[in-house]
Amino acid sequence: MSMFTRKFDRKVHVAFGVFLFSLLFGVGFGYYVLWPSDLEAGYEPAQPILYSHKLHAGDMKMQCLYCHSQADKTAQATTPPVSTCMNCHSQVQSKGPDGQVLPATQFVLDHWKSREPIRWNKVSDLADFVYFDHSRHVNSGLTCQECHGPIETMDRVRRQYGLKMSWCLACHRQAPPAGSRAERLGWDQRAPINCSTCHR
Ligand code: HEC
Ligand code: HEC
Ligand code: HEC
Ligand code: HEC
Ligand code: HEC
């Protein structure tokens, strides 16, 4: 025999269901918002051709700013136009055993001829409601690798760190390194962490 009427029993079940649902939803949402997650690290999208940073920036030791020439001047680092590649590849055109220019180089030459930009897939894509500026960071002495990892060892670019708020804050909260602007200004941390710094 049940302790309660059947109608009351059903109400208890419904109430318990709602409670359980809210609990799971709450925990899930809290986890999504608060956990210092690097869920998005390791993202490595395919590109139209295999352009290798390991070869160009690693073995050949080309400077990052040779191709990403806006990184110390504007908010965006930008990827280079085909004309930058043609500084070399108008001459350097390795051929396969069949005597044909290798397909990836041919792809670059075709885009140059048709004046069409190469559409690379973005690797680091920050939420649009966040304000970020490359030049501020690069000119304060940060290396590209502190945020992008050892790019010069990668054949295909892989996202080193998730782009969560906790990642930005973890660095901004650090003690100012010796000789940094923050140290000269007598700040107790590396960079500001008030909300309007990044949400304007
Ligand atoms: C400073 C000169 C230089 C610049 C600038 C340059 N490359 Fe290269 N690239 C080379 C050299 C040298 C090789 C090696 C050729 C070899 O060993 O066969 C190479 C190899 C390559 C290869 C591999 C060969 C193949 O066809 O599979 C690709 C693809 C390539 N480059 C694409 C690019 C792209 C895209 C850009 C512009 C974003 C670029 N390169 C800019 C010098 C350069
Ligand atoms: C010869 C030109 C060249 C040089 C030198 C070069 N890059 Fe790149 N970089 C590119 C091209 C082209 C892309 C777009 C294709 C890709 O993602 O591989 C790119 C993409 C990137 C990306 C990913 C951008 C995104 O979508 O998030 C990062 C980060 C990057 N480069 C950092 C560097 C760093 C750091 C160096 C120096 C160690 C460097 N690059 C040197 C040409 C270059
Ligand atoms: C403080 C961290 C930080 C430093 C230092 C940094 N980057 Fe970035 N980079 C980012 C973030 C975050 C994004 C994504 C920006 C977005 O999506 O709006 C990004 C995006 C890029 C892109 C994609 C194109 C663009 O502008 O969105 C390239 C290329 C790039 N970075 C290259 C570089 C190079 C080269 C250097 C060094 C000269 C460098 N970055 C230094 C954090 C950094
Ligand atoms: C590895 C360390 C590091 C990381 C990661 C980093 N920052 Fe910074 N950021 C700095 C430093 C250092 C400064 C201070 C530059 C100065 O003023 O000397 C700064 C300054 C800034 C400023 C300018 C502050 C002002 O005074 O107006 C903004 C905006 C900013 N960062 C946004 C971001 C965002 C958004 C992210 C994450 C996507 C991020 N940063 C990740 C080190 C970092
Ligand atoms: C140094 C840069 C920086 C500062 C300072 C900062 N944020 Fe953020 N915030 C971010 C970034 C980057 C994201 C995007 C995270 C993502 O896409 O998951 C974000 C996302 C958010 C979101 C969306 C939820 C989420 O986590 O995705 C909220 C809400 C938020 N921030 C509130 C704040 C508040 C409130 C403050 C002040 C206490 C603050 N932020 C300070 C960089 C910052």
Side-chain angles (χ1 to χ4, degrees):
M1 208 180 93
S2 169
M3 213 157 72
F4 306 115
T5 64
R6 198 174 273 168
K7 208 167 161 198
F8 186 75
D9 243 9
R10 197 157 59 222
K11 275 188 184 157
V12 169
H13 284 144
V14 170
F16 186 69
V18 168
F19 170 73
L20 203 65
F21 178 79
S22 325
L23 190 72
L24 287 176
F25 185 77
V27 167
F29 189 71
Y31 178 87
Y32 171 76
V33 171
L34 296 175
W35 203 254
S37 160
D38 54 2
L39 281 178
E40 300 162 348
Y43 179 57
E44 189 181 337
Q47 299 292 352
I49 51 166
L50 189 85
Y51 160 77
S52 170
H53 278 80
K54 182 173 179 292
L55 173 67
H56 292 82
D59 303 348
M60 286 164 52
K61 298 197 162 52
M62 288 181 66
Q63 297 298 306
C64 310
L65 290 178
Y66 179 88
C67 288
H68 303 290
S69 58
Q70 300 304 303
D72 61 344
K73 298 187 188 75
T74 64
Q76 302 273 311
T78 71
T79 45
V82 181
S83 60
T84 307
C85 315
M86 291 304 286
N87 289 345
C88 295
H89 286 288
S90 58
Q91 311 292 326
V92 182
Q93 295 165 9
S94 349
K95 297 187 170 71
D98 56 358
Q100 300 285 316
V101 174
L102 290 176
T105 305
Q106 191 58 52
F107 181 91
V108 178
L109 300 181
D110 290 345
H111 278 70
W112 173 244
K113 225 166 123 191
S114 61
R115 291 284 184 273
E116 238 197 277
I118 299 176
R119 305 214 176 278
W120 306 104
N121 290 314
K122 236 175 172 283
V123 182
S124 329
D125 204 356
L126 207 54
D128 289 337
F129 59 85
V130 180
Y131 175 77
F132 179 80
D133 187 317
H134 267 94
S135 64
R136 276 303 291 269
H137 289 94
V138 174
N139 291 326
S140 80
L142 287 166
T143 65
C144 314
Q145 285 79 359
E146 281 181 87
C147 294
H148 292 294
I151 295 278
E152 67 285 355
T153 66
M154 299 177 193
D155 276 319
R156 192 160 80 189
V157 180
R158 174 175 11 88
R159 194 188 294 171
Q160 184 80 3
Y161 303 106
L163 303 174
K164 294 275 174 188
M165 183 162 120
S166 52
W167 176 68
C168 315
L169 290 177
C171 180
H172 280 211
R173 280 209 185 97
Q174 284 169 9
S180 64
R181 194 174 87 100
E183 193 201 42
R184 286 198 304 278
L185 294 173
W187 295 353
D188 55 1
Q189 55 200 16
R190 221 171 162 183
I193 54 167
N194 45 316
C195 314
S196 62
T197 305
C198 309
H199 305 292
R200 338 189 135 180

